[in-house]
Amino acid sequence: MKTLITAGILALTVAGAAQAQNMFAYMGDQDDGTSTVVIDPFSASGDGYVAVYDHHRGETGDLLGVASIRGGANNETRVQVGRPLRNDVIAYLFVGENFNDPSMAVDSVEIDIED
């Protein structure tokens, strides 16, 4: 019985620690001309946003689109950017309300836009 309780506590601790991480999974390339950026599975420690910014020549540019996310595991998030993409972008993960300052992001991932 003691072993079963210990195993249960360990499982809850590991599950809680995994859920508390803020991280994007590996992002593949996206097709040139798309107006939707698809963010593959990621986790967030709380509700927030994924914000996609222009990332032409390796510098963060204009905010292109935002999607709200929930805390925990997020399977697939689609961010509408409003125009066909021609340049690379960067997605920032924000926990909380502020998505206008990339320095406040908890994670980021560069996304190559392929011709």
Side-chain angles (χ1 to χ4, degrees):
M1 179 74 165
K2 184 177 178 182
T3 303
L4 182 59
I5 291 171
T6 303
I9 291 170
L10 179 62
L12 288 174
T13 302
V14 170
Q19 188 176 27
Q21 292 180 341
N22 296 305
M23 58 185 232
F24 286 116
Y26 168 76
M27 284 294 304
D29 297 337
Q30 305 234 350
D31 293 331
D32 180 39
T34 185
S35 60
T36 303
V37 176
V38 179
I39 309 294
D40 288 330
F42 64 93
S43 61
S45 62
D47 294 348
Y49 298 90
V50 170
V52 174
Y53 285 79
D54 182 61
H55 197 62
H56 188 61
R57 296 187 180 126
E59 294 186 19
T60 300
D62 295 334
L63 175 64
L64 302 176
V66 178
S68 62
I69 54 104
R70 66 187 185 291
N74 290 266
N75 288 327
E76 182 181 89
T77 300
R78 295 176 173 271
V79 181
Q80 300 294 326
V81 295
R83 62 181 168 88
L85 293 174
R86 302 282 181 238
N87 299 318
D88 294 343
V89 297
I90 187 166
Y92 288 100
L93 175 60
F94 295 92
V95 174
E97 294 297 317
N98 182 7
F99 57 82
N100 292 311
D101 182 359
S103 70
M104 301 299 293
V106 295
D107 198 10
S108 64
V109 63
E110 296 178 16
I111 303 168
D112 294 327
I113 304 301
E114 292 293 314
D115 293 337

